[in-house]
Amino acid sequence: MAKSSSVLMLVLQLACIIFAGFQTAFAADRQTAMSSGGGIIYNPDAPTFALPRDALDSHDIPFSNHSNNRPFGSYLQQTLDFTHFADLFKAINATVGTLQSRGEAHITVVSPPEYDRVLKPAGVTIEEIEDIARQCGLQSARLQPVCVGRFNGSLPHPMSEADNGTFLLYSLVVADVFGDLAGIRQEVFKLYRKKGGEGALFQPEGFWPHVTLGFDRRDLFIEDGIYKGSNYCYAPIHTTK
């Protein structure tokens, strides 16, 4: 059994390496597109914000487990060092004055709804997802900042009275230029399909990595109708030492 487990882990590591290598072949084009704006539309009155160059480097931060039996209590995240984002939050809040911060920073790789509604019913455990993430080097994922994203408006389809009115939300939009996070989601998808999961219910490419920075009422998600890709960009970001 131990030998079989070791072989499985080796195969998984090899799959992650191959996928990352394939994505790396296109990484230069993605980085060029980002540095040149790549069709991003910023608000004309938005300031340029600063972020430490190593803010998205999490290779020396321990993997963080998020497994809980309560509804939407299990998910997968890349854990980041919040101290690198504290000044960015302060700079943004100085222009608003009403934002709340969680005091931590992360990138959600498999969301709570994806796990509870799709993966878990198919028999995929959070422990299996975490094993994939560790073998693929989640905490060493190579990422690039794209912009500061902002949503300032009303939700398109309020689900309750609490969702009426306007919301204000800021995030750091991130590019998975080498496909490290996408590779993890691909391996989760393979496991899901192997267990008989319906492919149409889990889209591994349906993923917009970001770091939530602050909000006035609550965070907002795809389920609220909010997409956090380059469409979400509000202000440019530049990196500092």
Side-chain angles (χ1 to χ4, degrees), residues 9 23 61 63 80 91 114 132 136 143 145 152 162 184 205 213 219 230:
M9 286 191 294
Q23 294 295 313
I61 299 175
F63 177 88
L80 304 170
E114 284 180 318
I132 289 172
C136 289
L143 307 169
N152 184 19
I184 292 172
E205 295 84 12
L213 298 171
D219 199 356
S230 59

Side-chain angles (χ1 to χ4, degrees), residues 180-227:
D180 296 333
L181 300 183
I184 292 172
R185 287 179 59 88
Q186 284 285 351
E187 292 305 316
V188 171
F189 177 69
K190 289 178 185 177
L191 177 62
Y192 167 70
R193 293 290 281 136
K194 184 177 180 181
K195 294 195 174 207
E198 173 56 56
L201 299 180
F202 185 79
Q203 171 61 285
E205 295 84 12
F207 170 59
W208 298 269
H210 63 275
V211 180
T212 299
L213 298 171
F215 44 83
D216 62 347
R217 295 170 62 183
R218 66 173 176 86
D219 199 356
L220 301 171
F221 309 96
I222 292 174
E223 292 76 16
D224 296 303
I226 306 302
Y227 291 85

